[in-house]
Amino acid sequence: MALSKQPYKGTRDFFPKDKRQRDFIEEVMATTAESFGYEPYDGPLLEEVELYLAKSGEELINEQIYSFMDRGDRKVAIRPEMTPTVARMVAQIHREVAKPIRWYAFPNFMRYERPQKGRLREFWQFNCDIFGAPGRTGEIEILQVAIELFERFGANSSQFEILINDRKIVDTVFKDLLLCNDEQTHKLYKIVDKAKKVAPDALQKMVNDTGITESAQKLFFQYINISSLDEIVKFLKSNNKHEVADEFAQFVSEAKLAGLTEYLNFDASIVRGLDYYTGIVFEMFDKHPENRRALCGGGAYHNLLQIFNEKPLPGVGFGLGDVTLTDFLNVHNLMPNFEIPLNDVLVTFQDPNGFQSAMKVARELRKKDFKVITMLEETKMKKVFELADKKGCKNVVLIGTDEVATGKIQVKNTEKRDQKDFNLNDIESIINFLK
Ligand code: HAM
């Protein structure tokens, strides 16, 4: 039986144009992160499964993780996310290094998902995390990085928004105001997560089924409908939850000062499925009607280092997937065209004896960092320019019989429609022409 040419379900082959696109995305991510002083890091593809069992949350563990026994009977998993790995790495070195620690990475992950728009089994995810920042400054900075990144891709506040909540608020509302026990709290987390995707009566039924009282239900629906930063603060104060209200109000005022509120909105349905978050949680959403989906997700996690028996070190970060980002850039016409590669010079010869000269000029130009493609056989004149176009070369070198006889080459700039003959050894003049 013939083997399938298709990649494994939910994974992608990156043909050159796709790889150019991914490299472009990565480049913008790296330059943005580095403009804030974030340093690149990476970790292993496999981790012991326990690392994820500790705090990655039910859905990831029960439904999505790729895990297996290795030959030494260790249960390992292909990384489904980076946060446990980065926490493990930071746990090794945080005592010796100056804080805050600012790191970024663009690793690939595997999650066993039903492939659909925006969701695959293998995807790349930009991770940007800060550890040990004082007060709420880490949260503010991480949101700034996320916004700056989208701005560098050419997007603005009419195209995306960040919906935010705080796990402390969610816990306060569920446990202190609705008086939920642990099981009910757990159920409500899941219900809230689905709140926007289900019809009102289905939502009502799910809430009924938790067994919380009628007055708690009333308060729950009041809470779930809040959609502004100021409103949630008012809601908490009117219910005598001054401490949490003041803490969040402080975050809001810092976010306002940092100019972030143009992008930020409160959303009670943002709780995030990962167990490690302890402070703000957020998701960035595409505002385009055809692509109303989460582009990235993140939050503050202050206790993750404790799973390694380390003292708490506040961490905040986000993960942005390449699949959702690509959809976003496409739907807003922000993705450059990567059909054609970018090269500088196509070196051709029309006389069979031109090969040596072609090789020589190409070698010299590459030494000066030009991207040079040499044809490996004679190329007819009428084909040269078509080929140059396909290979993204703005310049062509022609070496015909006359040129071979006189030790010259002809260089043409197809854009400027300029051309000149050069002595093969006069590389400096050739370079000046190409520049
Ligand atoms: P997450 O919400 O699981 O968070 O994923 C963040 C982003 O990764 C999503 O918004 C989406 O862009 C992308 N993503 C997730 N699953 C898939 C998939 N199956 N296919 C394509 N893209 C996907 C985390 O992973 C956290 N560890 C992020 C984080 C970093 N929090 C703090 N630091």
Side-chain angles (χ1 to χ4, degrees):
M1 199 184 71
L3 292 175
S4 167
K5 283 186 247 175
Q6 298 311 309
Y8 167 67
K9 186 172 177 179
T11 69
R12 287 162 290 172
D13 292 325
F14 287 86
F15 290 97
K17 80 170 171 39
D18 310 313
K19 181 65 167 60
R20 280 194 282 281
Q21 189 173 293
R22 203 178 85 204
D23 288 349
F24 157 74
I25 285 174
E26 182 166 10
E27 170 79 27
V28 178
M29 289 166 168
T31 48
T32 307
E34 286 176 22
S35 78
F36 282 80
Y38 285 68
E39 295 176 74
Y41 73 98
D42 205 347
L45 186 65
L46 292 181
E47 292 274 10
E48 301 218 10
V49 86
E50 265 117 66
L51 184 66
Y52 305 108
L53 294 181
K55 290 235 176 216
S56 283
E58 269 174 37
E59 193 189 18
L60 206 78
I61 299 302
N62 298 343
E63 295 164 31
Q64 299 180 339
I65 209 155
Y66 279 82
S67 59
F68 57 93
M69 300 300 284
D70 75 3
R71 287 170 198 270
D73 271 346
R74 286 172 216 92
K75 193 159 189 199
V76 291
I78 301 176
R79 58 186 177 190
E81 62 153 333
M82 204 60 173
T83 314
T85 299
V86 74
R88 185 177 61 64
M89 289 169 65
V90 167
Q92 292 173 49
I93 51 93
H94 72 103
R95 288 164 200 273
E96 294 102 57
V97 298
K99 314 277 181 319
I101 299 166
R102 294 178 166 98
W103 285 1
Y104 77 92
F106 189 50
N108 55 336
F109 302 136
M110 295 289 300
R111 293 187 192 177
Y112 194 79
E113 295 233 31
R114 189 169 57 81
Q116 55 190 293
K117 192 165 192 296
R119 285 278 176 271
L120 292 176
R121 289 187 176 171
E122 185 189 37
F123 59 98
W124 273 252
Q125 194 197 61
F126 176 55
N127 274 254
C128 204
D129 292 84
I130 184 166
F131 293 87
R136 309 217 71 147
T137 55
E139 296 169 339
I140 300 291
E141 182 171 299
I142 278 295
L143 291 167
Q144 272 173 332
V145 175
I147 291 168
E148 170 79 23
L149 176 62
F150 274 74
E151 288 180 344
R152 283 189 187 221
F153 279 114
N156 60 45
S157 61
S158 73
Q159 294 164 321
F160 71 93
E161 63 180 339
I162 296 178
L163 301 181
I164 196 162
N165 196 347
D166 192 315
R167 281 269 174 98
K168 280 191 196 142
I169 294 178
V170 187
D171 282 338
T172 302
V173 172
F174 291 178
K175 290 185 178 150
D176 298 354
L177 298 182
L178 309 186
L179 303 172
C180 292
N181 58 30
D182 286 351
E183 196 193 329
Q184 287 168 327
T185 302
H186 183 75
K187 280 187 184 156
L188 274 189
Y189 259 93
K190 295 197 145 187
I191 292 170
V192 164
D193 194 33
K194 290 191 199 124
K196 280 190 181 163
K197 297 165 211 151
V198 298
D201 44 345
L203 181 64
Q204 177 69 62
K205 183 174 182 315
M206 288 194 283
V207 175
N208 276 346
D209 291 348
T210 61
I212 60 171
T213 64
E214 232 169 81
S215 61
Q217 289 195 21
K218 213 171 133 206
L219 209 53
F220 172 81
F221 281 104
Q222 225 181 315
Y223 161 72
I224 197 81
N225 287 321
I226 294 173
S227 63
S228 90
L229 296 164
D230 295 330
E231 226 184 304
I232 184 67
V233 173
K234 268 193 217 146
F235 172 83
L236 291 166
K237 284 193 174 158
S238 67
N239 285 287
N240 289 321
K241 291 290 151 203
H242 292 282
E243 206 184 315
V244 190
D246 290 345
E247 254 191 64
F248 195 68
Q250 191 211 333
F251 164 78
V252 174
S253 86
E254 285 180 27
K256 276 184 185 158
L257 284 175
L260 303 180
T261 38
E262 183 190 348
Y263 292 93
L264 281 190
N265 253 323
F266 180 80
D267 190 320
S269 74
I270 302 292
V271 286
R272 315 248 321 123
L274 300 153
D275 286 350
Y276 42 73
Y277 295 116
T278 51
I280 62 155
V281 277
F282 62 91
E283 287 187 354
M284 187 181 275
F285 276 82
D286 193 340
K287 285 186 171 176
H288 198 288
E290 282 163 36
N291 198 42
R292 275 299 290 164
R293 53 180 55 246
L295 301 167
C296 90
Y301 47 96
H302 287 182
N303 305 327
L304 197 48
L305 261 57
Q306 279 168 300
I307 64 173
F308 310 103
N309 263 344
E310 296 286 327
K311 280 196 195 132
L313 180 70
V316 195
F318 70 92
L320 164 66
D322 70 322
V323 186
T324 45
L325 175 63
T326 302
D327 288 346
F328 174 84
L329 296 177
N330 283 333
V331 82
H332 292 283
N333 287 324
L334 295 172
M335 183 68 93
N337 186 341
F338 291 103
E339 283 295 329
I340 295 173
L342 268 189
N343 289 296
D344 299 309
V345 189
L346 180 72
V347 180
T348 70
F349 52 97
Q350 287 66 45
D351 183 286
N353 296 319
F355 184 67
Q356 293 306 330
S357 307
M359 285 297 175
K360 180 172 167 27
V361 69
R363 206 164 46 237
E364 294 301 327
L365 293 179
R366 286 186 195 117
K367 279 187 200 159
K368 300 289 175 191
D369 289 337
F370 286 95
K371 293 182 181 171
V372 186
I373 301 180
T374 43
M375 293 308 292
L376 301 175
E377 57 187 357
E378 285 169 66
T379 313
K380 295 221 165 66
M381 277 300 280
K382 65 174 188 198
K383 272 200 143 184
V384 167
F385 296 99
E386 190 189 317
L387 269 168
D389 266 0
K390 278 191 188 151
K391 295 291 175 193
C393 299
K394 292 190 182 80
N395 299 282
V396 295
V397 169
L398 302 161
I399 308 171
T401 310
D402 287 353
E403 282 79 18
V404 172
T406 55
K408 293 197 164 183
I409 61 166
Q410 215 183 94
V411 186
K412 283 190 193 233
N413 182 306
T414 58
E415 255 185 359
K416 293 188 204 148
R417 297 177 174 275
D418 199 5
Q419 78 172 66
K420 218 171 165 186
D421 288 352
F422 294 95
N423 196 312
L424 180 60
N425 295 318
D426 188 7
I427 294 297
E428 219 178 292
S429 301
I430 300 173
I431 287 166
N432 281 337
F433 178 82
L434 293 176
K435 279 180 179 163

